């Protein structure tokens, strides 16, 4: 518990680098994961309860009462919620009352129900497996989401640094332009253009800061900690993955999402089987042991004085009976009801199968696209140094020409724009490879494709 409470604090320490491993460990306490874990635990207990449902009913009962005992010949019928008193016929009404007691032991056990109990346990276990698959899917989603947000925040931080450098570079250039303008070496409009370029650069920096704050907020929410500034691991900016996975075949049947969708189909089919068996007959064994005490004597119907109002005499058992037997119950009309219920459940299974097929096609296409993205990202990574050097050389040349009065401010600002773009591309090129690799891990349903590469 102490370690759990300290994890968010460690993640918020501004003097410590938040590694991706630390971020994933902190996100392990995600409320969604905890919620799905509790659902899984509940399903596990439901399986145990379903197994215990096969135990026989063993009921102990005891009661005592005080009242009169008068009977009369007549007709009657049982009504729900109405309790009647059974008594021997008396010649006349009397108000003599006494105590009585009843002690009962009842055993009832289903001995054969055409596999109803087994199908009930199987359906309950299917729900447990479905909840487990849902938990695995949630953990995978949280894990890959945190990785993606981590890379996005790292990219945002690098872009913000690029924009800061660009503001400083334009600010220095503007100082040169203003000095030359004041000395009459350049037209006055050049200073206006320089001011406009600086203003544009500052607005770009503000946009970059907003983007960084947004990504930091999303990462904090997913990790379940208070938002702060994160020092991230910059190796993802400078170092490629150890091993770029080739376009190898991936077993998509192991994808957490597909396994969850498949578990829904299995659970639905098991539920349909259980519903179908509820319409079949049920054979049961039953046994009853009963003792009864009464304050009324055996001749009370002819002798109204043959009774005692002594409590102990009334609760003392004086008669005993037992009964054992087997029985069968079958509600014939259930055949019609259950048929429609089974068909309804089968259609649900068919819908789940359609969802599975659609998801399998989607992830197969995403996997193919991810391989292309990795290839494209690597190509851009190799081209970026060439672009950056060319942009830097062009800017240095135009700046030198401008300072010597051999070109105009428009040419300088144009090369400045290209240099800023090249620096931005250079700072995100390596991270883009990691993001493409993450996309493949998501499509393949295997986060180790990413986590084993750093």
């Amino acid at each position: 518990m102490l370690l759990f409470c300290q994890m968010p604090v460690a993640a918020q320490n501004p003097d410590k680098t938040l590694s991706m491993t630390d971020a994933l460990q902190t996100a392990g306490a995600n409320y969604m994961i905890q919620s799905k874990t509790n659902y899984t635990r509940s399903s596990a207990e439901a399986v145990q309860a379903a197994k215990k449902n096969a135990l026989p009913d063993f009921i102990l009962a005891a009661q005592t009462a005080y009242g009169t005992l008068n009977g009369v010949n007549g007709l009657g019928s049982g009504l729900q919620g109405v309790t009647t008193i059974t008594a021997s016929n008396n010649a006349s009404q009397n108000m003599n009352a006494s105590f009585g007691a009843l002690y009962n032991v009842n055993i009832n056990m289903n001995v054969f129900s055409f596999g109803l109990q087994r199908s009930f346990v199987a359906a309950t276990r299917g729900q447990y497996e479905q909840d487990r698959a849902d938990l695995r899917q949630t953990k995978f989603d949280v894990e890959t989401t945190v990785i993606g947000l981590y890379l996005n925040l790292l990219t945002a931080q690098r872009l913000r640094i690029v924009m800061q450098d660009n503001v400083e570079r334009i600010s220095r250039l503007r100082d040169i332009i203003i000095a030359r303008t004041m000395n009459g070496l350049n037209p006055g409009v050049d200073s206006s253009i320089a001011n406009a370029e600086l203003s544009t650069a500052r607005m770009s920096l503000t946009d970059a800061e907003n983007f960084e704050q947004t990504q930091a907020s999303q990462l904090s929410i997913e990790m379940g900690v208070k938002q702060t500034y994160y020092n991230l691991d910059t190796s993802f900016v400078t170092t490629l993955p150890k091993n770029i996975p080739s376009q190898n075949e991936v077993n998509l049947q192991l994808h957490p999402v597909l396994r969850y969708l498949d578990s829904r189909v299995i659970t639905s089919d098991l539920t349909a089987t259980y519903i179908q068996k509820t319409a079949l007959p049920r054979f049961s064994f039953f046994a009853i042991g009963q003792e009864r005490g009464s304050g009324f004597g055996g001749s009370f119907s002819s002798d109204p004085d043959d009774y005692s109002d002594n409590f102990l005499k009334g609760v003392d058992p004086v008669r005993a009976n037992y009964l054992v037997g087997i029985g069968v119950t079958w509600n014939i009309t259930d055949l019609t009801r259950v048929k429609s219920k089974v068909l309804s459940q089968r259609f649900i299974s068919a819908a789940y199968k359609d969802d599975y097929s659609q998801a399998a096609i989607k992830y197969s296409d995403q996997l193919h696209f991810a391989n292309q993205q990795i290839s494209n990202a690597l190509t851009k990574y190799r081209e970026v140094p060439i672009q950056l050097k060319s942009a830097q050389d062009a800017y240095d040349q135009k700046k030198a020409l401008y300072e010597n009065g051999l070109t105009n401010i428009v040419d300088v600002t144009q090369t400045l724009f290209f240099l800023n773009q090249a620096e931005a591309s250079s700072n995100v090129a390596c991270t883009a490879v990691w993001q493409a690799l993450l996309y493949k891990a998501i499509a393949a349903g295997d986060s180790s494709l990413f986590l084993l590469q750093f």
Side-chain angles (χ1 to χ4, degrees):
M1 288 297 294
L2 180 61
L3 177 62
F4 173 79
C5 293
Q6 287 179 343
M7 284 197 307
V9 177
Q12 298 177 49
N13 186 354
D15 298 327
K16 179 183 177 182
T17 297
L18 176 67
S19 67
M20 185 169 289
T21 302
D22 292 338
L24 291 173
Q25 289 177 349
T26 303
N30 185 284
Y31 289 111
M32 183 62 70
I33 293 178
Q34 297 304 317
S35 173
K36 295 299 176 67
T37 299
N38 287 327
Y39 280 126
T40 303
R41 291 172 179 170
S42 174
S43 298
E45 292 301 324
V47 173
Q48 299 302 317
K51 292 179 179 179
K52 294 174 183 177
N53 194 54
L55 296 175
D57 295 331
F58 188 86
I59 302 173
L60 298 176
Q63 70 176 35
T64 182
Y66 180 80
T68 59
L69 190 66
N70 292 290
V72 65
N73 292 326
L75 302 176
S77 63
L79 296 176
Q80 184 176 2
V82 177
T83 301
T84 60
I85 301 175
T86 303
S88 58
N89 294 337
N90 293 342
S92 62
Q93 171 71 31
N94 68 77
M95 299 305 296
N96 298 330
S98 181
F99 289 95
L102 178 66
Y103 309 95
N104 191 69
V105 177
N106 191 339
I107 299 175
N108 193 349
M109 180 176 64
N110 288 328
V111 293
F112 184 71
S113 56
F114 297 92
L116 178 65
Q117 170 62 19
R118 289 194 301 273
S119 63
F120 177 57
V121 173
T124 308
R125 184 178 290 109
Q127 182 61 50
Y128 167 64
E129 294 298 334
Q130 178 179 327
D131 288 342
R132 286 185 62 194
D134 191 18
L135 175 59
R136 286 193 296 267
Q137 173 194 342
T138 301
K139 289 181 177 179
F140 177 76
D141 290 342
V142 170
E143 187 176 55
T144 53
T145 299
V146 169
I147 294 174
L149 292 173
Y150 189 98
L151 294 177
N152 287 345
L153 178 56
L154 183 59
T155 299
Q157 289 181 349
R158 303 306 298 182
L159 290 176
R160 188 250 307 156
I161 293 173
V162 169
M163 296 307 167
Q164 285 177 339
D165 293 341
N166 190 48
V167 168
E168 294 175 1
R169 181 168 46 236
I170 295 178
S171 180
R172 291 192 300 269
L173 178 62
R174 187 195 65 162
D175 292 340
I176 296 174
I177 293 173
I178 291 177
R180 292 179 59 85
T181 301
M182 292 178 64
N183 292 323
L185 299 176
N186 292 104
V189 70
D190 285 7
S191 60
S192 298
I193 294 176
N195 288 330
E197 288 296 325
L198 181 58
S199 178
T200 301
R202 287 171 176 168
M203 287 190 294
S204 298
L205 175 59
T206 301
D207 291 340
E209 290 173 342
N210 287 336
F211 179 63
E212 178 184 358
Q213 291 165 3
T214 301
Q215 298 304 313
S217 174
Q218 292 180 358
L219 179 60
S220 298
I221 292 173
E222 199 66 27
M223 291 170 56
V225 298
K226 184 178 179 181
Q227 183 179 349
T228 184
Y229 178 78
Y230 296 104
N231 289 318
L232 302 183
D233 182 5
T234 57
S235 63
F236 295 100
V237 180
T238 59
T239 307
L240 287 175
K242 293 179 181 178
N243 180 31
I244 302 296
S246 60
Q247 297 186 14
N248 55 327
E249 292 295 328
V250 175
N251 186 3
L252 285 178
Q253 292 181 348
L254 299 179
H255 196 293
V257 176
L258 295 181
R259 291 177 67 181
Y260 168 69
L261 294 177
D262 183 57
S263 69
R264 292 200 309 173
V265 176
I266 295 174
T267 302
S268 181
D269 288 340
L270 291 173
T271 302
T273 301
Y274 166 68
I275 294 174
Q276 192 172 27
K277 290 183 179 297
T278 59
L280 300 177
R282 305 176 194 180
F283 293 85
S284 60
F285 165 81
F286 59 90
I288 301 174
Q290 176 180 287
E291 288 192 340
R292 187 169 183 175
S294 175
F296 294 98
S299 61
F300 178 75
S301 58
S302 58
D303 181 8
D305 294 326
D306 186 15
Y307 78 97
S308 172
D309 57 3
N310 184 281
F311 174 76
L312 295 179
K313 183 174 178 59
V315 299
D316 181 34
V318 294
R319 295 290 187 272
N321 290 291
Y322 73 90
L323 181 149
V324 295
I326 57 173
V328 57
T329 57
W330 190 11
N331 190 340
I332 302 297
T333 56
D334 274 349
L335 292 174
T336 300
R337 300 189 189 100
V338 168
K339 181 179 179 181
S340 298
K341 292 181 180 179
V342 171
L343 287 176
S344 174
Q345 195 65 42
R346 295 295 186 194
F347 282 124
I348 293 176
S349 297
Y352 287 160
K353 290 178 182 177
D354 292 336
D355 292 342
Y356 178 91
S357 299
Q358 181 181 10
I361 294 174
K362 182 185 75 172
Y363 286 116
S364 178
D365 291 342
Q366 286 184 354
L367 189 60
H368 177 71
F369 180 68
N371 289 324
Q372 294 177 334
Q373 290 295 97
I374 292 176
S375 178
N376 295 338
L378 287 172
T379 300
K380 292 180 66 175
Y381 176 79
R382 298 186 187 99
E383 295 295 332
V384 158
I386 301 174
Q387 180 192 32
L388 179 60
K389 185 178 185 305
S390 299
Q392 184 68 58
D393 291 344
Y395 172 71
D396 292 340
Q397 181 191 54
K398 293 297 182 181
K399 180 183 175 184
L401 291 174
Y402 178 79
E403 291 174 351
N404 289 280
L406 300 176
T407 188
N408 56 47
I409 188 62
V410 176
D411 290 340
V412 177
T413 56
Q414 186 70 21
T415 56
L416 189 61
F417 172 78
F418 289 132
L419 177 58
N420 186 47
Q421 291 293 102
E423 287 181 342
S425 299
S426 177
N427 275 269
V428 302
C430 187
T431 309
V433 177
W434 285 99
Q435 288 175 325
L437 180 59
L438 173 63
Y439 187 77
K440 179 171 183 177
I442 295 174
D446 185 6
S447 57
S448 66
L449 291 178
F450 182 95
L451 297 176
L452 295 180
Q453 306 308 323
F454 63 88

